[in-house]
Structures are given as structure tokens and as C-alpha cells.
Amino acid sequence: MQWKNQLTGMKPYQPGRSIDEVKKMFGLDEIVKLASNENPFGCSPKVREFMENLSINHAIYPDGYASALRLALANVVGVEEDQLLFGNGSDEIIMMISRALLQPGVNTVMATPTFPQYRHNAIIEGAEVREVPLIKGAHDLQEMALQIDESTAVVWLCSPNNPTGMLIEQHELEEFIQKVPKEVLIVLDEAYFEYITDSTYKNSIELIKDHENVIILRTFSKAYGLAGFRVGYAVAQKELIAKLDPVREPFNNAAISQGVALVALQDSSFIESCRIQNESGIKQLEKFAKEHQLHIYPTQGNFVLLEVKADSDLVFEGLLKKGFIIRSGNAIGTPGYIRVTIGTNDQNKEFLQKLADVLKDAEVLA
């Protein structure tokens, strides 16, 4: 078979060990998963009520235009219906953008470390990947601008950035956009938008009005607690969306996924509650870090990147044995750190107790 050369040596996305797998490995009855930045509070009660009374003809294809969800989301976001593009999670939209714009002979610019699917899809399409190291956990926008040339097709910005959780400062973002040529697409990935509490943040949807080359990605997988239903969306000027839409698969959002996303969208009080509890959880972990003189990045997401002053894999394995699944920094380009999803108040308390035990065993803490 004539496989693409760039697929040589590539590996599929590794989601980490499942709860059931960890239970079997260590003979545990209960596991707390704090590895994938899922919402520990689940989803809106309205979604659960909707599911209990669900009536869908499973023999019929879903609405390929996602009409009801599109109308509702357009009203909430404050844009026209034709300014939206839906994906099977925002991951699929990343793949759409890559398929539409990246190819051999062009390059794409991104930070490192950041969400790995930008790089993954660029390599598959044969594009040159230009990675710019973060500075103290933040995008180095000055250097990223210098990396752009006449062959650049896409620039990826992740804000809040995964895995550091840091938000791109508003004035720096606006200055950067002004520097980027109009023919270069700027992707602003805001998967954790609903968790942002920074008072300086301005809704990035405003950027779209004046910039035809900006597209914003958001998702129902994080704060809305619908990761299992895979619904993401993009917002941009209608001309840009019209160019991308032919790349989209015709029925990429299941009927049930459209239904639950529509219901979840109507429960803003649930999102506000999650935001408040998430901020409280961040403070729990920040207090622990301060008490034990461990570095922690200032986060605007529902996760933290925490220094452990030890081999990240050893800490990861130690926590697994105690019933907590987190993300080792060795797997995400941040050795010496672990990435931890913010859990419930009780989950955070127990996690920090177990982490202290693991760090004592590693002789990091006395």
C-alpha cells in the first residue's frame, strides 16, 4: 500500500488509562480521574432529564445543518447562523482546518508545549511545523510573529493554553493579530472559555468583526460536561466558514448529541456554578503549592500544571496506586510537573493528601 511518508513512525493519540483498567491493575474499588480536564460535576440536570425522556428515530440521519442547535447557539454567542461550523468535538474542526489549508510546501506556526493535535494533523498533511517554546508558560507571540513568512498557512493559539492553563493577554493578542498577514489563518482555540475569570479578558468574538482571518474554536466537552457526545464549534466571518464547510463530513453530529448540546446551552446557571467551584478548587491546589514551595502556573482553565520536583512518571504511577489518574508531565512536554484536572472539593482534598504521601515517598517533602 502507498501510505503517506509522513505517517511513518506516527502514533495514535494516547488517551491514558481508563478507570476500569486502573481498578484491575491495582485492585481498587474507586478511582478518581483527574487526567482529561473533564467536568467533575458532570452535566446540567436538564440534560439528564432530557435523556430520560429521549425519543429519537435512530434509522433517520441527523440534521446535517444542526439547525436547532445552530439557531440557539448563534443567539447565545451573538453571531449569525452562517458564522458557525460544528464538529465532532473541536478536534474534528482542527482536522478540517488542517485538511483545507495544510500541505507540503507550506508551514504552520504554534507554541510548544500546547494541544498536540495541531502538530499531529499538520504532520499528517505534510506541512512544516514551526514550534515556538513558551515563555514562563505563556505564548511567545513576538517570536511566533517572526516565524511567519510567505509560506505560512495557519497559526495556532491556545488560550487558556493546554497544558499550562495560561491566558494570552488581551493587548498582546490584539497586537499579534495586527501583525499577521490577512492570508494567514489565525486559530484561537478557547476550549476552556467558560472557565475564564480574568477581569481583563474581552470576549474574543469581537475580534471576528474586524478580522477576516480569525477563527475561534469552542466546545461542549469541558464546562458543559458533554465530552461523551463530541460537539465542538467554530466561529468566524461567514466567508471563512463557507470555505471550510465543504471539508466537513455531512452528518458529523449525531442527533442525540445535537439534542443534549441544545439543552445544556439553555442552563447558564449550571455553567456559572461550575465556574465558581472550579475557581475554588484552583485555590485549594495553589495553597498546597505555596505551602510546599512547588511552582504552579496561574491557570484560567479547569486544570493546573503543578511542579513535583521528581520524575513525573514516578509521581503518576504513585498516584495511580492510590486511586488517582492524572497526567504525567513527561507525556505532555513538561517534565518535573503533573497536569491535574480540578475536581470537586472533596476530590481535591483527597488528591492533595495522596500527592503529599507520594512526594514524601519520593523524598520531595519531609
Side-chain angles (χ1 to χ4, degrees), residues 116-134:
Q117 289 302 296
Y118 313 145
R119 185 178 191 275
H120 183 87
N121 282 281
I123 290 174
I124 289 174
E125 300 302 333
E128 176 194 351
V129 177
R130 297 183 176 179
E131 295 179 293
V132 177
L134 300 173

Side-chain angles (χ1 to χ4, degrees), residues 73-338:
L73 185 60
N75 289 332
V76 169
V77 175
V79 297
E80 299 298 320
E81 293 178 52
D82 55 6
Q83 289 184 257
L84 294 170
L85 178 71
F86 289 94
N88 183 27
S90 54
D91 299 82
E92 188 191 22
I93 301 177
I94 293 169
M95 185 168 63
M96 291 183 208
I97 292 168
S98 301
R99 187 177 182 187
L101 289 167
L102 300 181
Q103 58 186 317
V106 305
N107 68 68
T108 181
V109 178
M110 64 194 70
T112 183
T114 192
F115 187 51
Q117 289 302 296
Y118 313 145
R119 185 178 191 275
H120 183 87
N121 282 281
I123 290 174
I124 289 174
E125 300 302 333
E128 176 194 351
V129 177
R130 297 183 176 179
E131 295 179 293
V132 177
L134 300 173
I135 296 180
K136 296 181 179 179
H139 283 62
D140 182 355
L141 295 183
Q142 290 187 349
E143 181 59 31
M144 290 181 75
L146 292 174
Q147 291 295 320
I148 297 171
D149 60 22
E150 64 278 358
S151 297
T152 305
V154 183
V155 176
W156 305 89
L157 305 176
C158 187
S159 184
N161 184 51
N162 181 4
T164 60
M166 294 186 64
L167 193 68
I168 297 175
E169 292 190 14
Q170 193 69 32
H171 72 280
E172 292 183 0
L173 175 62
E174 292 173 359
E175 289 177 3
F176 177 77
I177 292 174
Q178 293 291 347
K179 294 177 183 177
V180 177
K182 299 300 182 185
E183 60 272 16
V184 176
L185 179 65
I186 302 170
V187 182
L188 181 58
D189 188 345
E190 292 189 329
Y192 303 93
F193 159 73
E194 290 82 6
Y195 289 109
I196 297 173
T197 58
D198 190 321
S199 60
T200 65
Y201 173 78
K202 295 180 183 177
N203 194 333
S204 57
I205 299 299
E206 295 299 314
L207 296 170
I208 292 171
K209 298 176 182 178
D210 299 321
H211 301 285
E212 62 190 33
N213 63 330
V214 173
I215 187 168
I216 296 166
L217 309 187
R218 292 180 181 172
T219 182
F220 284 89
S221 294
K222 303 303 181 184
Y224 284 98
L226 301 178
F229 291 99
R230 313 306 299 126
V231 182
Y233 62 96
V235 192
Q237 290 190 12
K238 62 181 181 180
E239 292 80 8
L240 198 163
I241 294 296
K243 284 286 189 180
L244 268 180
D245 204 18
V247 184
R248 179 181 60 85
E249 293 182 0
F251 303 106
N252 60 333
N253 290 118
I256 189 172
S257 298
Q258 294 180 37
V260 296
L262 178 58
V263 173
L265 190 64
Q266 298 165 356
D267 193 354
S268 58
S269 62
F270 173 77
I271 297 298
E272 178 63 20
S273 173
C274 291
R275 184 186 300 113
I276 292 171
Q277 293 179 87
N278 183 72
E279 189 173 21
S280 176
I282 291 172
K283 290 177 180 177
Q284 284 179 275
L285 273 73
E286 287 178 338
K287 181 182 177 183
F288 177 90
K290 184 177 181 180
E291 288 175 350
H292 297 291
Q293 298 182 323
L294 300 172
H295 177 250
I296 188 171
Y297 285 94
T299 183
Q300 288 290 308
N302 69 333
F303 58 92
V304 296
L305 190 63
L306 174 65
E307 183 185 27
V308 290
K309 294 183 179 178
D311 187 317
S312 301
D313 285 348
L314 290 178
V315 176
F316 167 78
E317 292 291 340
L319 286 166
L320 268 188
K321 295 174 183 177
K322 294 180 182 295
F324 282 86
I325 308 175
I326 53 90
R327 196 76 162 148
S328 167
N330 291 348
I332 54 177
T334 58
Y337 286 76
I338 56 173

